[in-house]
Amino acid sequence: MNQYETVFILTPVLSDEQMKETVAKFVKVLTDKGAEILNEEIWGLKKMAYPIQKKSTGFYTLVEFKAEPTVVEKLETAFRRDEKVIRFLTTKMDKFGVAYAEKRRNKKANKEA
């Protein structure tokens, strides 16, 4: 199993509830296919560097997970089929990325405690 992280941007016209439901839908796609969710962060409504589909803001979300490569294909297909998704990017993490992500998660957990 490889470790991946995906960041996706949802359209800003959604309510908070709709946004959370959409994120939960994509997390469910991952878990149904056997992926292990390591971290999920909702970054909130942010301004984009340039307009996409005539929108200058969007709801950003990061999901880190361990899965087989075929699961990533299914997730990206789900992103393409949902009109609420403006952009998405999934990257396979190397050992340095995994170490950095783990350090970042621990730092965040210590801040919250």
Side-chain angles (χ1 to χ4, degrees):
M1 282 176 57
N2 299 323
Q3 187 163 334
Y4 297 93
E5 76 176 8
T6 186
V7 175
F8 55 97
I9 307 171
L10 299 174
T11 183
V13 297
L14 301 174
S15 69
D16 271 355
E17 187 177 305
Q18 289 172 319
M19 184 263 304
K20 288 178 181 167
E21 286 173 4
T22 306
V23 170
K25 179 180 99 173
F26 292 123
V27 168
K28 186 177 182 327
V29 167
L30 288 170
T31 53
D32 287 352
K33 302 295 180 196
E36 175 191 346
I37 305 297
L38 301 174
N39 187 27
E40 181 184 332
E41 295 177 22
I42 297 177
W43 293 341
L45 190 66
K46 299 216 178 261
K47 188 171 181 343
M48 294 188 273
Y50 54 90
I52 302 171
Q53 298 174 5
K54 298 184 182 177
K55 294 174 179 68
S56 59
T57 59
F59 287 106
Y60 282 67
T61 305
L62 167 97
V63 179
E64 292 177 45
F65 59 97
K66 282 186 179 179
E68 297 297 327
T70 55
V71 175
V72 175
E73 293 173 23
K74 304 282 187 207
L75 176 66
E76 291 187 349
T77 300
F79 282 146
R80 286 187 189 95
R81 287 183 178 160
D82 196 327
E83 74 261 358
K84 297 174 194 159
V85 178
I86 297 175
R87 281 279 196 282
F88 63 90
L89 180 66
T90 304
T91 56
K92 179 181 170 189
M93 298 171 73
D94 61 4
K95 65 180 181 180
F96 303 110
V98 170
Y100 176 77
E102 201 170 299
K103 192 167 88 174
R104 201 176 99 238
R105 279 195 305 269
N106 291 337
K107 194 175 187 180
K108 184 180 175 207
N110 290 340
K111 254 186 191 178
E112 289 175 358

